[in-house]
Amino acid sequence: MSFTLAIVGRPNVGKSTLFNRLVGKRLALVDDQPGVTRDLREGEAKLADLRFTVIDTAGLEEATDDSLEGRMRRLTERAVDMADACLFMIDARTGVTPTDEIFADILRRRGKHVFVAANKSESNASEAGVMEAYGLGLGDPIRLSAEHGEGLNELYSALMPVADAHEERAREDAPRVDVTVDEDEDLPDHSPTEKKPLQIAVVGRPNAGKSTLINKILGEDRLLTGPEAGITRDAISLTLDWSGTPVRIFDTAGMRRKAKVQDKLEKLSVSDGLRAVKFAEVVIVLLDAAIPFEQQDLRIADLAEREGRAVVVAVNKWDVEEAKQEKLRELKEEFARLLPQLRGAPLITVSAKTGRGLERLHDAVRRAHDIWNRRVPTAALNRWLTGMVEAHPPPAPQGRRIKLRYITQAKTRPPGFVVMCSHPDKIPAAYTRYLVNGLREDFDMPGTPIRLHMRGQGDKNPYKGRKKAGPSKLRKHMQGRRD
């Protein structure tokens, strides 16, 4: 998970030129005419061994109304809020202008990592402008020439602490996954605590009611909501006590089909939501009761399963549904048919507006988290494997019988199992699914992702691979025995 750097400043100070240099491509239009960039442009930047996301923004102007300039300014300010660090560029040849001072004051108050860069400082005419940049109160200016690639070493040194802090924070926030288990040791207690709260990501399409649901859980209107789709832009994490359970909830931007995501800011928001899924232990996939299980809902649920996260499906706006029983039956049938990989996952009906169903949602999240951490004793697993093989033996491809020798649990979070067998590469996917479904049903692990790996034990024949003794060698050997 890389950090994000937003490049901001007045029009025509060289933001797009630096952006192109960092991403190594001419992605952004560059021209001497001011105001060429109007939208946000995101790219994967490379600076020595640093890898990060860089955002090129529209030139900051003083307009605050609904004019084009005003909307461009609001978009740029949103990018500043979303970024982990901000590079404020001035034109060293022009010097610090009154507009620069206004925006420097705004950036100081936002409290993020803000660096000032004096661009176009390759000539002696820029010295006065570099000295003026000290007066902006944003630390020592970085002397840059985006056009000629000068000053990038200074930029690297400035960004290193940001990268280190971001990596440390990511390590602290990331949940422990794929935890190795040992039969002789007890698993560590996975119960949520204030220091290690249960991490939940609420994901879904735009206008499904994610922010409204979290506000209702919080008991206050902390997050902006409304009838318009796409109000939430970035993944916001909130720490709270939910019915006695310490949790950190990530509210994410609505995820639409890739073909419909045209707005640059929305692309950034969706990628932020995808990162939130990776930082969660339990993912709540929120559906709209009026239009459930659309293609994007299925993709989001499948993503959570592939990332190995416990999944709870919640159907919102249930308070306005009239034929509740009939609708619920249809939903369960669709869920089983469209998401077989999440077989048995809880499907909870809720109303984010009224708060009905939130206690059942809380209980489902806790149970999904417990199952995600479950360990099954090896003895019980092997008794189960014997019964499964007797009921349905594995196939014998090309007449070669496959032996399933034993099974053990290797990991939790999510549960992972290893079956030692002969010819693991010959076992068809259908038989692996048969075993996974059996594990899910017989050991009460509905909904959680289950990883099952087939592993060969190697050939026990000590003579395999040796050359056979020829007749002459055998006769000499026997002659020596007689002598």
Side-chain angles (χ1 to χ4, degrees), residues 370-437:
D370 289 341
I371 293 170
W372 195 59
N373 285 275
R374 181 164 298 171
R375 185 174 76 177
V376 183
T378 301
L381 281 171
N382 282 287
R383 286 194 299 270
W384 167 85
L385 182 63
T386 301
M388 293 293 284
V389 171
E390 288 176 356
H392 187 64
Q398 300 172 341
R400 305 177 74 177
R401 192 158 60 90
I402 296 172
K403 291 182 180 179
L404 303 185
R405 294 190 171 93
Y406 68 88
I407 182 173
T408 186
Q409 184 170 359
K411 296 180 182 295
T412 63
R413 304 170 71 92
F417 303 88
V418 175
V419 176
M420 306 304 289
C421 60
S422 61
H423 313 299
D425 55 322
K426 303 293 185 186
I427 297 178
Y431 197 79
T432 303
R433 283 196 300 271
Y434 161 71
L435 294 178
V436 168
N437 289 335

Side-chain angles (χ1 to χ4, degrees), residues 123-230:
S123 65
N124 293 332
S126 63
E127 283 301 318
V130 173
M131 297 307 294
E132 288 177 12
Y134 280 93
L136 292 173
L138 294 171
D140 295 349
I142 301 168
R143 292 170 175 261
L144 273 182
S145 173
E147 189 172 352
H148 298 98
E150 296 175 9
L152 295 181
N153 287 338
E154 287 184 62
L155 180 60
Y156 173 86
S157 300
L159 292 179
M160 270 299 293
V162 178
D164 292 342
H166 190 271
E167 190 176 341
E168 179 64 29
R169 191 171 71 248
R171 274 199 299 268
E172 291 175 0
D173 288 346
R176 289 186 67 205
V177 294
D178 287 334
V179 177
T180 304
V181 298
D182 191 324
E183 190 68 24
D184 298 328
E185 295 181 9
D186 292 330
L187 281 176
D189 186 12
H190 62 262
S191 300
T193 62
E194 288 188 6
K195 283 191 175 181
K196 276 288 183 183
L198 197 164
Q199 306 214 127
I200 303 168
V202 183
V203 299
R205 286 180 294 108
N207 214 25
K210 298 179 292 297
S211 299
T212 306
L213 176 73
I214 294 174
N215 280 342
K216 187 58 70 173
I217 293 171
L218 278 166
E220 58 180 292
D221 291 337
R222 183 87 65 86
L223 302 174
L224 184 63
T225 62
E228 301 88 358

